[in-house]
Amino acid sequence: MTPFQLALSKGRDRYNTRFALARYRSRDLSAADFLAHLRDRVGPVVDAAGVDADPVPLTDALVELSLRLAERGWLAEGTPTALAFAALPSVARAAGAAPDRVPAALLTAARHVAAAPVGDVAGWLAAVAEVAAVVPPAEVDLLLGAAAVAAWRHGVALLRRSAVDTMRALPTEVLVRALGSPVSADGVDRMAADPWAAPVGGEPGLLLRGRVGAFTGFGGQFPRPPVVRAVGGRWYAESAGAAWEVAADRYGWDLRQVAAVPEPDGTAVPPVSPVRLGAAGEVTDGRGGVLRLPELADATSVAGVGDTLAITTRYSHRIVFVGRSS
């Protein structure tokens, strides 16, 4: 009898009762589909977790989590949580060490990665598997911290600040796997100071770094062309009375709706970006770099953070990012 079969034999009545309750809440819940999920997705995790002596806690956690997801339709083929569940065997031993924490954290994170405009769930799951291969199962905080860094690397730009802090504490072998790249001796410091820096090398100079956002009619966020502001070292966008925090870096971009753009700290002198937008869309970096972008000639707002400008025009629902990297 496998560990999973042992757990089922011990908890069959509880699991049946819990399924009946879930079926009452969600009439579309299929018993056959759920049994197939238990066999194909839950069983392999429990059997690979190294919890032969007591597989019940992990099985309980995975069954409960599965039922909550199934009630919402989040186990359907191709959904982020279904993809993440299929990848759980790669972190099975960590799941066995912290059954109430690891599976739920990774499945939730998969939804956040998928929700990012350029989020790459498959790439993130592959990175988590690489990390789990070198992290001892009991070091759950290390695994989840590295997984968050990998989520940033795979498109969740709003995680950049916390990811940079986490990177400083990661062992080199773990950091390399989370970022999918070797890291130079000064790589973390450069990435902390420069949103366009790479772990090794990068694209130096003054460059058009990206365009962020879109018109709501095309599936975007902005009903009208936005305007941007910089407050406290962060970018914010406003459009039709709504506001968003804006994040952009070499790994992607994201928008998080906020109640309002925060007011600047009246006691602090905001830093002035050396990158400037001049006439006819000419951007200069104060070090001899010049970039001519005629589309920015009629800018409606300009906001600088460090060596990067966020720029909007009345003709576009996109925010243009121009930045200098060393």
Side-chain angles (χ1 to χ4, degrees):
M1 184 176 289
T2 68
F4 179 56
Q5 291 169 340
L6 176 62
L8 287 183
S9 68
K10 290 183 175 181
R12 191 175 305 279
D13 289 343
R14 287 188 296 107
Y15 298 146
N16 286 338
T17 300
R18 181 63 184 87
F19 178 81
L21 178 59
R23 184 75 176 272
Y24 177 78
R25 293 172 178 167
S26 179
R27 297 295 183 181
D28 294 333
L29 189 58
S30 163
D33 288 348
F34 192 73
L35 285 173
H37 168 79
L38 292 179
R39 180 190 67 237
D40 299 337
R41 297 292 182 245
V42 174
V45 181
V46 176
D47 291 342
V51 291
D52 300 22
D54 187 9
V56 172
L58 178 57
T59 304
D60 282 355
L62 291 175
V63 169
E64 180 62 29
L65 187 57
S66 297
L67 285 168
R68 284 191 275 126
L69 294 171
E71 286 178 31
R72 294 166 173 79
W74 290 353
L75 288 181
E77 193 70 25
T79 60
T81 37
L83 293 172
F85 227 116
L88 282 182
S90 67
V91 296
R93 290 190 170 272
D100 293 323
R101 191 175 170 202
V102 170
L106 294 180
L107 293 171
T108 299
R111 288 180 53 79
H112 287 299
V113 174
V118 294
D120 175 9
V121 176
W124 174 70
L125 290 171
V128 171
E130 289 286 324
V131 167
V134 297
V135 173
E139 295 192 29
V140 172
D141 288 338
L142 178 58
L143 172 67
L144 296 182
V149 172
W152 168 55
R153 161 67 181 84
H154 288 279
V156 189
L158 285 164
L159 288 177
R160 177 173 176 267
R161 290 191 177 207
S162 61
V164 167
D165 289 341
T166 300
M167 285 195 297
R168 298 187 187 282
L170 294 182
T172 299
E173 185 179 21
V174 175
L175 178 58
V176 166
R177 290 171 181 247
L179 290 177
S181 167
V183 183
S184 66
D186 64 344
V188 174
D189 288 338
R190 288 189 303 101
M191 295 174 78
D194 178 359
W196 315 112
V200 176
E203 302 79 33
L206 183 64
L207 297 172
L208 172 62
R209 298 293 176 174
R211 293 180 172 88
V212 169
F215 174 47
T216 50
F218 298 146
Q221 302 80 10
F222 302 134
R224 297 177 186 168
V227 294
V228 288
R229 295 167 57 189
V231 180
R234 301 174 188 261
W235 286 289
Y236 294 89
E238 296 174 291
S239 173
W244 294 261
E245 182 182 349
V246 183
D249 59 33
R250 73 173 291 103
Y251 293 131
W253 62 271
D254 208 349
L255 300 169
R256 179 176 65 88
Q257 192 156 9
V258 295
V261 176
E263 292 300 319
D265 181 354
T267 63
V269 178
V272 177
S273 174
V275 181
R276 301 293 184 88
L277 175 65
E282 183 176 274
V283 183
T284 58
D285 63 6
R287 303 180 187 181
V290 179
L291 187 63
R292 293 178 176 84
L293 298 170
E295 66 182 278
L296 303 179
D298 295 311
T300 52
S301 65
V302 181
V305 174
D307 286 351
T308 300
L309 294 183
I311 306 165
T312 61
T313 73
R314 62 175 54 87
Y315 305 114
S316 175
H317 290 77
R318 293 186 178 275
I319 304 167
V320 176
F321 281 84
V322 178
R324 184 187 187 283
S325 185
S326 301

